[in-house]
Amino acid sequence: MADCIRVPLLLLLVCVLSSVRPTRAENNNAPKLPVNANEQQNPAGGPGPAAGLAAAADRNQGAGASLLRRRSAGWKLAEEAVCRDDLTRLCPKHSWNNNLAVLECLQDRKEETEIAAECNHLLWNYKLNLTTDPKFESVAVEVCKTAISEIKECAAEELGKGYLVSCLVDHRGNITDYQCNQYITKMTSIVFSDYRLICGFMDKCRDDINVLRCGSIAIGEKDVHSQGEVIACLEKALVREAEEQPGAHPIRDDCKKAIMRVAELSSDDFHLDRHLYFACREDRERFCETTLAGEGRVYKCLFNHKFEDVMSERCREALTTRQKLIAQDYKVSYSLAKACKADLKKHHCSVDTSMPRAREARLSYLLLCLEAAVHRGRVVTGECQGEMMDYRRMLMEDFSLSPEIVLHCRAEIEGHCSGLHRKGRTLHCLMRAGRGDLGSIEPKCQKALQTLIQEADPGADYRIDRALNEACESVIQTACKHIRSGDPMILSCLMEHLYTDKMVEDCERRLLELQYFIARDWKLDPILYKKCQGDASRLCHTHGWNETSEMMPPGAIFSCLYRHAYRSVEQGRRLSRDCKVEVQRILHQRALDVKLDPELQRRCMIDLGKWCSEKTEAGQELECLQDHLENLDSDCRDVVANLTELESEDIQLEVLLMRACEPVIQAYCHEVADNQIDSGDLMECLVHNKHQKEMNEKCSVGVTHFQLIQIKDFRFSYKFKTACKEDVLKLCPNIKKKVDVVICLSTTVRNDTLQDAKEQRVSVKCRKQLRVEEVEMSEDIRLEPELYDSCRQDINRLCQNVAFGNAQVIECLKEHKRQLTQRCHQRIFKLQEVEMADPELDYQLMRVCKHMIRRFCTEAEGKNILQCLKQNKNSELMDPKCKQMITKRQITQNTDFRLNPVLRKACKADIPKFCQPILNKATADSELEGQVISCLKLKYADQRLSPDCEDQIRVILQESALDYRLDPQLQIHCTQEISQLCSEEAAAQEQTGQVEECLKVNLLKIKQDGCKKEVLNMLKESKADIFVDPVLHTACALDIKHHCAAIPPGKGRQMSCLMEALQDKRVRLQPECKRRLQDRIDMWSFAAKVAPAEGFSDLAMQVMSSPSKNYILTMMGVGVGLLFLMGLLCGRVTKRVTQELKDSEPQQRPLKAESRPATDQTVKARKVSPSYGSIVF
């Protein structure tokens, strides 16, 4: 073998590039010159220079004798007696005249026993002599004369050393001459029938063959057909070493090169890989019968059917070994090396001096280099891209082709993924483990998976991932049929339909497994990379597609991009529009699953386990993190806060929420959704329409959740943040929670308004947005954390069956106000005080009366809406529900003057003047239960109020006279009497004053002093104004019109008019009016007896407030006049008596001393004024 032709390593590439298996017709037409010349140039016959073959020749005399006959011209293998039977049985007769055709026919027999041992030995000696004869080179010179002249490298080879043939094989792809090409093809076929015929192979691999026990080198110890098994054994050992399997034998570098050299040489035609050829003959006939041999076509066909159920296991193993060799050196694939040769050179994929040549030859390096060129927009031929796609699919189908996966993921495969090796299932199982769905995974395994995904690049074409393709085929056909097959947008389309009715479970699982790794390297999304590579280079200092940097790892680049995506113009360095659209698309996809956001998962791994371990449904994990924002670790809190801030700007990032809200968006927000550009308008629209009939539970819950998250930080509300950022920094620094910021700004606005400040400190745009935020917060008690926390216990006790939203819980608490705990009661009172001052913040009122406000109060200011509604409450056009809500608010207002801003302003001076004792007992955050208003009512009856306050109290009196519920003191003290004496009237709820009339009629039956006093107060108040007595007013309406029309209402004037008419016999009143007036007189008389005047001032006030005031004053005047006249008359009589006494005084002087006491008394009595003498006596 020392004299054999050198076959350099470069031969691999050439054989891979172009070799066509010769057909029998080609064999017949093969050039005769090489065979005949060889036969003629070997006149000595026998084994020639192969000294080691002498013993075998001696052992077989028949063979030795037959070799002597080669001395004659035209010697044929078919003429040898030792091969006659085998030739007749196995080879067609037309091939007998061509030695090479006979050689090919006989050496391609499958079974070892088919050919006699003597014939085998004869064939081997013939091939050895043919390939080792130095004169064989001259045949190559003659046949390939033209090719040699065209190939400079071959023309420069020194003749006589056997190098020329190797050079021609290396450059076979450039040989256009048919005869030369066929000659080289035949020579490779001959050489590859036995590894011992390959120059240098035996010398380089002898020791490894012996150590590995791959077979025998000695001639004759093994049949020639089994020699392919030796090479197969070495190839498997090489694979085991690459995978670092336990017990793997380290093969010497020279032998490694020789093994890869053999694989390279056999890449053209699968016949040349003897082990694979014999292992796959039946499978080739089954799957690839019509596939022509040569150019690696049969290999590729068999690769495509590798995982078919009927594929033999032996063939599958041989194919896998071949694929593993291709993974180590791409030149082992003839078609790939040929198709991509020019592109590799064009894009400098084999000139990296910093990288070892072995690494450069790896399939992964070739794929990454050429994929980088494609992603950068460089031109790579379609033929090369097609080959790349085949091998990328191959890597995704069989994990074992990646030595790193086999080495670093061995434990994960054995623990989770055993038995799933076909069609990419093991790889997807490992990807699922990498997501954390099957437990933890080693970092090296995770890195190996990420590297493999980058090499295969399934993001560019989903069909590369066979498991995904098969699982999602039905979804693609229905949901994504409008997209061209193989387009990268298919994956985006599938993500858009994740968790929808069109998605199937298996596709969903496979898609998430793949997207988990694509999300960790922005380059693996080809559309994102195409649109953003310029921005990434400019803003994030990225390198090439297949280059990484420790300063900016792939996972950090997308974070850099989205930070710049939402910058304002003032902040500068923004993304291009196309890139921003793609960043938003990726953010939409990542929002579907927290594991698709690498930074979020990395920073929040501990918090996810701590707070959200039970949240397994789609989208729940992020919601959970947002709910526990205050409790998160600082790193996790920052990333969750940033993501939430982005969502506030573009709520469409919440894909699941958008799907749930699709009906509402289509009905009410489609224009906003279509024009959503950095505004936050869509969420605001959803909040405003949260209670429309199109709103479903999922959407409502999602919108409410987002509102609840927004209150944690004012930055989470994009519109509020944009409008009020400067105001917050100036007026509310160091305040972060949105609720506190809103309170701070609202307080500032309120104070400026009350103090009539010349200029509001809060900007106009902020005040406008502040109103929106206040209204939104009033809709759900949970949006006001302090109120919610204060009343949580009461909610569970009193409102447990009331749903949140629509301010229903707040309304429930208001209705049970007297049963609330002190803390909650105080908060509710404060809330009502704010709502009464600004009715637009009263969500229930604004919701229930929305249409009535449009009908009656379009021109009213926001703060006067309730006042407007009250004025139109009894209109025939008033909606009953709204009327009921207005009544509720009136009841609330009458419990405390502080809840009635109009009254408070009108009676600002009267309240402290007349009701100070009540104010002294009051607290700032609890109701006075109508005490101040009751106090003002009494002063109204006494006509002591200021005009403005009197007008407001008159209105209250008129309203409460129609509905007893508007009088808190009456309700408190007369609850039992109303239920016992006036149950029917109370149940009717007609608001016509029937309950009050019932209490008046049953005054004698009332036992409780408190209730009796309130009824008496009503009677007293009714004297002051007939409007306060609706029953009497209704009965006497016609009489007032006829007899008292000219008299203005108020101050008892119309009541006095009616009383005078009652006493005037000339006036005929309506019977009902007359009866009611008589009843009132009786009631007043009884009231005077039950509650007489307690002093002169009280008596005077009673007289002044009496409807019969004029009559009483007239009678009192007449009495006083009579007394005056009597005094005058009595004075003249006493004057004469006094004179007589003066005249008789001297005579009576002696008696003076004795009667002094009596005389003094008499004098004193006489000194009394004559005008009051009658009163004294």
Side-chain angles (χ1 to χ4, degrees):
M1 294 292 295
D3 299 326
C4 69
I5 307 172
R6 185 189 69 160
V7 188
L9 288 175
L10 190 59
L11 182 61
L12 171 61
L13 179 61
V14 182
C15 288
V16 171
L17 291 174
S18 63
S19 174
V20 181
R21 179 186 175 185
T23 61
R24 289 188 176 99
E26 289 170 342
N27 291 336
N28 292 334
N29 297 326
K32 302 296 181 179
L33 181 59
V35 178
N36 295 336
N38 185 57
E39 292 164 356
Q40 294 171 2
Q41 291 171 8
N42 190 14
L53 303 178
D58 294 340
R59 223 167 26 207
N60 193 329
Q61 297 297 327
S66 63
L67 288 173
L68 296 175
R69 289 196 293 272
R70 294 188 208 176
R71 295 171 183 174
S72 60
W75 174 83
K76 307 293 184 187
L77 280 171
E79 297 174 355
E80 296 296 329
V82 293
C83 293
R84 183 68 55 81
D85 294 339
D86 297 310
L87 192 64
T88 304
R89 180 166 49 88
L90 300 173
C91 300
K93 194 169 185 178
H94 65 78
S95 64
W96 290 7
N97 292 327
N98 190 306
N99 286 347
L100 294 181
V102 171
L103 186 62
E104 182 180 14
C105 172
L106 292 178
Q107 72 180 14
D108 285 354
R109 292 300 94 196
K110 182 178 180 181
E111 299 297 333
E112 298 177 3
T113 56
E114 285 184 353
I115 302 177
E118 294 81 358
C119 182
N120 270 333
H121 189 61
L122 175 66
L123 293 175
W124 189 85
N125 277 284
Y126 172 73
K127 290 187 292 184
L128 183 62
N129 288 327
L130 187 64
T131 57
T132 57
D133 194 331
K135 297 180 181 179
F136 182 67
E137 193 176 68
S138 62
V139 179
V141 172
E142 183 65 26
V143 175
C144 300
K145 183 184 300 183
T146 304
I148 293 172
S149 62
E150 293 175 351
I151 303 172
K152 296 180 180 179
E153 292 84 351
C154 297
E157 289 287 358
E158 185 180 352
L159 298 178
K161 295 186 177 181
Y163 295 163
L164 178 62
V165 176
S166 294
C167 180
L168 290 172
V169 173
D170 289 342
H171 294 83
R172 181 179 175 185
N174 299 325
I175 297 176
T176 57
D177 184 77
Y178 177 76
Q179 284 194 341
C180 179
N181 198 297
Q182 288 299 309
Y183 171 71
I184 298 299
T185 299
K186 290 299 179 181
M187 287 308 302
T188 55
S189 176
I190 294 171
V191 168
F192 268 80
S193 64
D194 194 329
Y195 74 93
R196 292 171 297 181
L197 301 179
I198 300 174
C199 179
F201 182 86
M202 185 176 65
D203 294 335
K204 294 174 181 177
C205 295
R206 185 192 306 272
D207 294 338
D208 295 294
I209 292 172
N210 291 331
V211 171
L212 295 169
R213 302 183 182 278
C214 288
S216 173
I217 299 177
I219 302 172
E221 293 185 14
K222 258 197 172 184
D223 186 81
V224 68
H225 295 297
S226 67
Q227 296 305 312
E229 300 293 337
V230 177
I231 295 178
C233 174
L234 290 171
E235 290 174 345
K236 292 177 181 178
L238 183 62
V239 169
R240 286 197 301 272
E241 182 184 355
E243 296 173 355
E244 299 185 19
Q245 295 184 14
H249 168 70
I251 300 176
R252 292 188 308 168
D253 291 341
D254 288 347
C255 184
K256 285 181 183 178
K257 294 178 181 179
I259 294 170
M260 297 306 294
R261 176 81 175 115
V262 171
E264 179 183 347
L265 291 170
S266 62
S267 64
D268 180 14
D269 192 340
F270 90 114
H271 291 84
L272 306 182
D273 188 332
R274 308 305 293 172
H275 171 70
L276 187 144
Y277 170 72
F278 289 124
C280 297
R281 285 186 69 176
E282 292 182 358
D283 298 288
R284 187 270 172 98
E285 294 172 1
R286 183 182 298 115
F287 299 112
C288 310
E289 183 178 5
T290 60
T291 303
L292 296 176
E295 298 189 358
R297 286 188 288 264
V298 176
Y299 285 126
K300 290 183 65 175
C301 175
L302 291 172
F303 289 158
N304 292 335
H305 295 87
K306 175 180 170 181
F307 290 114
E308 298 289 345
D309 294 334
V310 294
M311 172 72 74
S312 65
E313 196 62 34
R314 187 183 176 197
C315 180
R316 185 178 293 118
E317 290 178 359
L319 291 172
T320 300
T321 300
R322 182 99 195 161
Q323 288 176 321
K324 290 179 178 180
L325 294 176
I326 294 174
Q328 293 191 43
D329 192 334
Y330 71 91
K331 293 190 293 297
V332 176
S333 169
Y334 176 85
S335 56
L336 178 64
K338 178 185 178 183
C340 297
K341 181 179 180 180
D343 294 290
L344 288 170
K345 184 177 181 180
K346 177 180 179 181
H347 300 294
H348 310 288
C349 294
S350 57
V351 294
D352 192 345
T353 57
S354 64
M355 188 172 294
R357 178 65 185 88
R359 174 67 180 88
E360 237 179 63
R362 292 195 62 172
L363 176 65
S364 60
Y365 179 77
L366 174 143
L367 293 176
L368 289 174
C369 181
L370 293 179
E371 285 167 10
V374 172
H375 288 299
R376 288 197 302 266
R378 308 290 174 79
V379 177
V380 175
T381 61
E383 185 181 5
C384 180
Q385 290 195 49
E387 289 294 327
M388 289 168 59
M389 182 172 177
D390 289 338
Y391 284 96
R392 285 155 57 193
R393 185 187 295 115
M394 180 184 76
L395 291 174
M396 288 294 293
E397 282 188 357
D398 193 345
F399 76 96
S400 65
L401 304 185
S402 173
E404 292 82 6
I405 296 290
V406 176
L407 173 61
H408 300 303
C409 299
R410 187 174 291 121
E412 286 77 7
I413 293 172
E414 293 175 356
H416 304 297
C417 309
S418 59
L420 300 174
H421 61 282
R422 296 188 177 186
K423 300 181 181 180
R425 293 172 187 168
T426 300
L427 186 59
H428 267 275
C429 175
L430 289 172
M431 291 159 67
R432 186 160 65 252
R435 275 174 51 89
D437 297 344
L438 300 177
S440 60
I441 186 173
E442 290 294 328
K444 289 184 177 180
C445 179
Q446 186 89 7
K447 184 177 180 181
L449 285 170
Q450 189 70 46
T451 302
L452 178 61
I453 298 300
Q454 184 180 3
E455 293 170 0
D457 195 17
D461 192 332
Y462 72 96
R463 295 172 298 179
I464 291 171
D465 189 342
R466 183 173 179 179
L468 175 70
N469 189 16
E470 293 181 356
C472 298
E473 184 175 3
S474 61
V475 183
I476 294 171
Q477 293 300 321
T478 55
C480 309
K481 59 183 178 181
H482 60 286
I483 303 176
R484 178 180 56 83
S485 179
D487 193 289
M489 284 304 296
I490 291 285
L491 279 181
S492 285
C493 175
L494 291 174
M495 288 298 295
E496 290 173 6
H497 291 86
L498 196 63
Y499 306 125
T500 64
D501 296 336
K502 294 183 179 180
M503 181 59 64
V504 297
E505 183 179 357
D506 193 29
C507 177
E508 178 182 299
R509 186 172 63 253
R510 301 292 189 210
L511 184 61
L512 287 175
E513 290 163 1
L514 177 61
Q515 283 290 345
Y516 176 84
F517 288 90
I518 291 179
R520 274 145 183 79
D521 190 343
W522 75 291
K523 302 188 299 291
L524 299 184
D525 188 305
I527 304 173
L528 175 67
Y529 184 81
K530 180 179 179 181
K531 300 293 185 181
C532 294
Q533 57 179 321
D535 296 274
S537 176
R538 175 171 54 92
L539 302 172
C540 308
H541 311 291
T542 58
H543 300 278
W545 187 87
N546 59 334
E547 299 175 9
T548 58
S549 169
E550 294 182 0
M551 298 296 293
M552 186 63 70
I557 294 172
F558 184 78
S559 299
C560 169
L561 289 174
Y562 83 67
R563 281 196 299 272
H564 287 85
Y566 291 90
R567 287 190 172 186
S568 63
V569 177
E570 293 78 11
Q571 292 172 317
R573 303 189 73 185
R574 304 185 74 192
L575 295 184
S576 62
R577 184 176 182 83
D578 289 343
C579 180
K580 183 174 181 178
V581 169
E582 293 307 313
V583 169
Q584 289 176 327
R585 175 179 64 85
I586 299 300
L587 288 173
H588 293 173
Q589 295 176 5
R590 291 188 175 188
L592 294 169
D593 191 326
V594 69
K595 293 180 179 178
L596 296 181
D597 192 323
E599 187 175 7
L600 180 66
Q601 189 189 30
R602 177 175 61 83
R603 294 193 183 186
C604 297
M605 184 66 70
I606 296 175
D607 290 296
L608 282 169
K610 184 177 181 180
W611 304 106
C612 311
S613 57
E614 297 180 358
K615 305 294 184 180
T616 57
E617 297 296 325
Q620 285 187 344
E621 288 179 315
L622 180 57
E623 290 182 1
C624 173
L625 291 173
Q626 291 172 331
D627 290 338
H628 293 88
L629 186 65
E630 299 87 351
N631 303 318
L632 301 180
D633 180 73
S634 59
D635 286 346
C636 179
R637 184 168 59 248
D638 289 343
V639 69
V640 173
N642 290 336
L643 184 58
T644 307
E645 193 172 351
L646 289 180
E647 288 180 348
S648 72
E649 181 174 351
D650 183 4
I651 193 58
Q652 294 188 39
L653 297 179
E654 282 275 12
V655 180
L656 296 178
L657 177 61
M658 290 299 97
R659 291 177 186 169
C661 296
E662 184 65 23
V664 186
I665 294 174
Q666 291 299 323
Y668 302 100
C669 310
H670 60 278
E671 293 183 359
V672 179
D674 294 341
N675 300 320
Q676 172 80 4
I677 303 176
D678 302 348
S679 63
D681 289 333
L682 181 56
M683 175 52 71
E684 188 173 289
C685 178
L686 289 174
V687 171
H688 290 165
N689 295 279
K690 191 165 71 169
H691 301 287
Q692 299 291 348
K693 62 181 180 179
E694 291 83 359
M695 178 66 70
N696 55 63
E697 184 179 1
K698 283 186 177 180
C699 180
S700 178
V701 169
V703 172
T704 301
H705 172 265
F706 197 80
Q707 289 180 281
L708 293 174
I709 296 306
Q710 284 184 327
I711 66 176
K712 296 178 184 290
D713 194 320
F714 81 95
R715 296 175 303 163
F716 296 167
S717 177
Y718 177 74
K719 297 195 75 173
F720 182 58
K721 177 187 70 174
T722 304
C724 297
K725 188 173 183 179
E726 294 179 1
D727 300 271
V728 172
L729 294 175
K730 180 175 64 175
L731 302 171
C732 311
N734 304 322
I735 299 178
K736 193 172 183 180
K737 287 187 176 181
K738 180 181 175 182
V739 178
D740 297 334
V741 171
V742 170
I743 293 173
C744 172
L745 294 176
S746 300
T747 304
T748 304
V749 172
R750 209 164 279 127
N751 291 339
D752 290 347
T753 303
L754 293 174
Q755 296 171 7
D756 296 326
K758 293 183 179 179
E759 185 178 352
Q760 287 275 358
R761 287 175 288 175
V762 179
S763 63
V764 175
K765 64 177 182 179
C766 182
R767 290 203 303 272
K768 183 178 179 181
Q769 189 60 35
L770 185 62
R771 172 46 54 98
V772 174
E773 300 300 332
E774 289 176 323
V775 172
E776 288 183 5
M777 288 169 59
S778 67
E779 184 266 339
D780 194 324
I781 191 172
R782 293 173 296 179
L783 300 180
E784 298 191 47
E786 291 187 4
L787 175 63
Y788 182 52
D789 293 340
S790 300
C791 296
R792 192 187 297 265
Q793 179 181 348
D794 301 274
I795 293 171
N796 295 333
R797 179 167 53 89
L798 302 170
C799 310
Q800 57 182 349
N801 296 323
V802 179
F804 290 101
N806 262 340
Q808 294 178 92
V809 174
I810 295 177
E811 197 66 24
C812 172
L813 293 173
K814 291 176 181 177
E815 292 173 357
H816 295 86
K817 189 164 55 177
R818 290 191 177 90
Q819 304 172 42
L820 300 178
T821 59
Q822 182 181 2
R823 186 183 176 200
C824 180
H825 190 281
Q826 292 172 353
R827 290 286 181 184
I828 291 295
F829 178 77
K830 288 293 185 184
L831 174 66
Q832 289 179 318
E833 193 173 2
V834 172
E835 289 178 348
M836 293 303 175
D838 191 350
E840 286 185 320
L841 301 182
D842 188 339
Y843 190 88
Q844 275 280 20
L845 176 70
M846 299 302 292
R847 184 183 70 85
V848 175
C849 297
K850 179 170 63 175
H851 299 296
M852 296 300 102
I853 292 171
R854 291 176 183 173
R855 175 171 293 172
F856 297 111
C857 310
T858 52
E859 297 180 0
E861 294 183 24
K863 63 181 180 180
N864 297 326
I865 286 177
L866 180 57
Q867 194 72 12
C868 171
L869 290 171
K870 285 160 61 175
Q871 293 170 358
N872 294 277
K873 173 183 171 183
N874 296 316
S875 169
E876 294 180 355
L877 300 175
M878 177 59 68
D879 177 65
K881 291 183 178 180
C882 179
K883 185 176 182 179
Q884 185 179 3
M885 181 59 65
I886 297 170
T887 301
K888 285 184 178 182
R889 295 302 178 258
Q890 288 179 295
I891 294 172
T892 299
Q893 281 190 328
N894 289 350
T895 60
D896 197 305
F897 76 97
R898 291 170 293 184
L899 300 180
N900 191 333
V902 179
L903 175 67
R904 187 175 185 178
K905 182 178 181 181
C907 300
K908 185 178 182 180
D910 301 84
I911 292 173
K913 180 178 179 181
F914 300 114
C915 311
Q916 189 61 45
I918 300 173
L919 296 178
N920 293 337
K921 299 177 183 178
T923 58
D925 47 12
S926 62
E927 291 94 338
L928 297 172
E929 298 298 346
Q931 295 178 59
V932 172
I933 295 178
S934 294
C935 168
L936 293 173
K937 286 179 181 178
L938 293 174
K939 301 307 173 184
Y940 173 83
D942 296 341
Q943 300 179 11
R944 298 175 64 184
L945 299 179
S946 62
D948 290 342
C949 185
E950 186 177 292
D951 291 341
Q952 292 303 317
I953 291 298
R954 182 187 304 114
V955 172
I956 293 175
L957 283 169
Q958 291 172 358
E959 292 171 345
S960 59
L962 293 170
D963 190 343
Y964 75 97
R965 296 173 298 174
L966 300 183
D967 190 336
Q969 288 293 308
L970 182 66
Q971 236 186 335
I972 292 172
H973 294 105
C974 297
T975 302
Q976 185 176 351
E977 284 74 10
I978 292 173
S979 62
Q980 292 177 354
L981 303 174
C982 311
S983 57
E984 293 182 4
E985 290 82 354
Q989 294 185 352
E990 294 180 356
Q991 299 183 9
T992 56
Q994 294 301 319
V995 174
E996 291 87 340
E997 185 68 16
C998 173
L999 290 172
K1000 294 173 185 177
V1001 171
N1002 292 282
L1003 180 59
L1004 295 175
K1005 298 179 182 180
I1006 297 175
K1007 304 300 181 184
Q1008 294 186 19
D1009 293 338
C1011 181
K1012 187 179 293 185
K1013 182 179 179 181
E1014 291 301 321
V1015 176
L1016 291 173
N1017 287 338
M1018 280 197 301
L1019 289 170
K1020 180 180 178 180
E1021 293 158 4
S1022 65
K1023 290 182 183 181
D1025 198 330
I1026 192 171
F1027 288 100
V1028 179
D1029 192 337
V1031 175
L1032 180 62
H1033 182 265
T1034 303
C1036 298
L1038 288 175
D1039 296 292
I1040 293 173
K1041 184 176 181 180
H1042 290 158
H1043 306 296
C1044 309
I1047 299 175
K1051 297 185 179 181
R1053 287 186 287 263
Q1054 288 187 342
M1055 183 68 77
S1056 299
C1057 174
L1058 289 174
M1059 295 298 292
E1060 291 174 0
L1062 179 64
Q1063 293 174 1
D1064 191 347
K1065 295 181 180 181
R1066 295 173 299 175
V1067 177
R1068 296 185 61 181
L1069 299 176
Q1070 295 290 329
E1072 182 65 20
C1073 177
K1074 188 174 182 179
R1075 186 177 68 81
R1076 292 292 182 183
L1077 279 173
Q1078 192 60 52
D1079 290 342
R1080 293 299 180 268
I1081 293 173
D1082 295 339
M1083 291 178 186
W1084 293 332
S1085 299
F1086 178 75
K1089 295 177 183 178
V1090 174
E1094 298 177 356
F1096 182 79
S1097 61
D1098 195 11
L1099 176 61
M1101 292 309 300
Q1102 286 189 14
V1103 171
M1104 294 304 293
S1105 63
S1106 172
S1108 303
K1109 176 181 68 174
N1110 295 335
Y1111 175 77
I1112 295 173
L1113 291 176
T1114 301
M1115 296 305 295
M1116 289 179 65
V1118 171
V1120 170
L1122 291 174
L1123 288 174
F1124 181 73
L1125 290 174
M1126 288 177 63
L1128 289 175
L1129 294 175
C1130 292
R1132 291 184 177 274
V1133 174
T1134 55
K1135 184 175 182 182
R1136 288 198 300 269
V1137 173
T1138 305
Q1139 185 64 42
E1140 291 176 355
L1141 289 174
K1142 287 182 178 180
D1143 294 341
S1144 61
E1145 186 174 354
Q1147 290 91 11
Q1148 297 177 357
R1149 190 175 299 276
L1151 298 173
K1152 237 177 187 182
E1154 297 179 1
S1155 58
R1156 188 174 297 276
T1159 302
D1160 292 340
Q1161 293 293 336
T1162 304
V1163 173
K1164 291 179 180 178
R1166 288 174 181 172
K1167 289 182 179 179
V1168 176
S1169 173
S1171 62
Y1172 291 97
S1174 61
I1175 297 177
V1176 174
F1177 292 106

